[in-house]
Amino acid sequence: MDTSSSSSASAAAPSAVTFYDFLDRMRNPASLDLVRSIKSFIVSFSFNNANPENDGKRVQEFFTTMESAIKDHPLWANATIEDIESAMEGLEKYVMTKLFSRTFASTSEDVKIDQEISEKICLLQTFLRPEHLDISTFLQNEASWLLAEKELQKINAFKAPREKVLCIMNCCRIINNLLLNASISENVELGGADDFLPVLIYIIIKANPPQLHSNIKFIQLYRRQAMLVSEAAYYFTNLVSAKTFILDLNAKSLSMEETEFEKSMQAARLANKVTLIEESTTSNGIKTLGEQGHPERHDVTQIEASAMSNDRKSLEEQRGVGPSQRIYGNNTITSGGYGYPFMEAEACQLTTGDVEKLLSVYKDVVRKYTNLCRAVRHVSVPMTVAPIPHFEGNNSSFKQPATKTSASTDSKREE
């Protein structure tokens, strides 16, 4: 664990030093001719249409030309081979960072393959186990696998080919150390491709690194060929093999019965489809809610609006029934003598068609309130009685003015 962390840190540190040293030299006035060549290449490259194979050749040829120019340049007059290599690493990072959006996943075919691999890995993640790849029990170390996954998942965070290669190397070194430690502890001979590749395949499936195909292709085309050798070449070749294996994976590739494999894949597809439908429903619901006011009542409100319109016409024909007394279905809201259909409504449920209804209800309420106020002013009450509405004793109910008005009227008639 410590070894992998230290190796990752040590690999990143020289990369940063190399790059910034290159930038410092390029700021020197004496490097003006080199700077012009670099900028000219970047501009001319950016104007051409994407053609991955030709683009890769152009970049490799440019690196070769610039390497000769740097070797002959006064700023590197007494430079060692390591200094020249450092300058070239800095140049590769600068150029490919500038051209990244133009060169990475530059064709629709690359995007399609990336999606195909990612979707297949998502399906395999639901049922694939180490035993299906014939990975021995003593190699099943979840802690080490998790570290390897994290290193591989970093690959999309970088734009320079060298740094992407370092992510692959760090991942593979963790696997290699796992094989070495297991070999010592179990006293068995391990370390070959037959043991290494299945573990790498399983880690790729668990990690599902983003845009795996495009990252591999980017390294193949734009990493300087002179540097893709030895340990880096070995690990990179294994990654390419693992990607191909996953892309072509079927029941024959695994220690599984074909019927079991097909059932597992079908179940995984169904589960993913259900998830996508749920996400789509949620997304569309939120979108419709924002645009129309309510996601699930778009069609229903049209039917209700028509029903309300018909109800309104029939109700208007009824004497003494105000516009606020709406009938919904077979139920009439008559609690307290009045019905107000929007009392329980939310703002998001209202439509433009409700404006007329709300105005009608508003006028009805104002008219009734005004009439009530006029009636209260003309009611004769004893001086000891509090103004209406009031409470009697501990009774929390309103005292009804209609009763007193009626009683007062009767007494006047008797007189």
Side-chain angles (χ1 to χ4, degrees), residues 35 44 51 82 97 106 161 205 212 308 315 365 370 397 401-402 413:
V35 172
S44 63
N51 187 327
E82 287 76 14
T97 299
S106 57
I205 291 173
L212 180 61
M308 288 179 191
L315 287 172
V365 171
T370 304
S397 62
R413 288 177 178 174

Side-chain angles (χ1 to χ4, degrees), residues 238-250:
N238 274 277
L239 184 70
V240 174
S241 300
K243 184 209 80 170
T244 304
F245 178 88
I246 292 171
L247 199 56
D248 300 332
L249 187 145
N250 52 39

Side-chain angles (χ1 to χ4, degrees), residues 121-129 264-265 267-269 271-272:
I121 288 177
C122 284
L123 298 178
L124 293 171
Q125 284 177 336
T126 62
F127 67 90
L128 194 71
R129 299 291 177 265
S264 300
M265 291 291 284
R269 290 190 189 97
N272 283 358

Side-chain angles (χ1 to χ4, degrees), residues 26-44:
M26 289 297 105
R27 294 188 184 102
N28 192 312
S31 65
L32 184 59
D33 55 335
L34 295 177
V35 172
R36 285 175 177 171
S37 297
I38 295 169
K39 289 188 175 181
S40 176
F41 174 77
I42 292 173
V43 171
S44 63

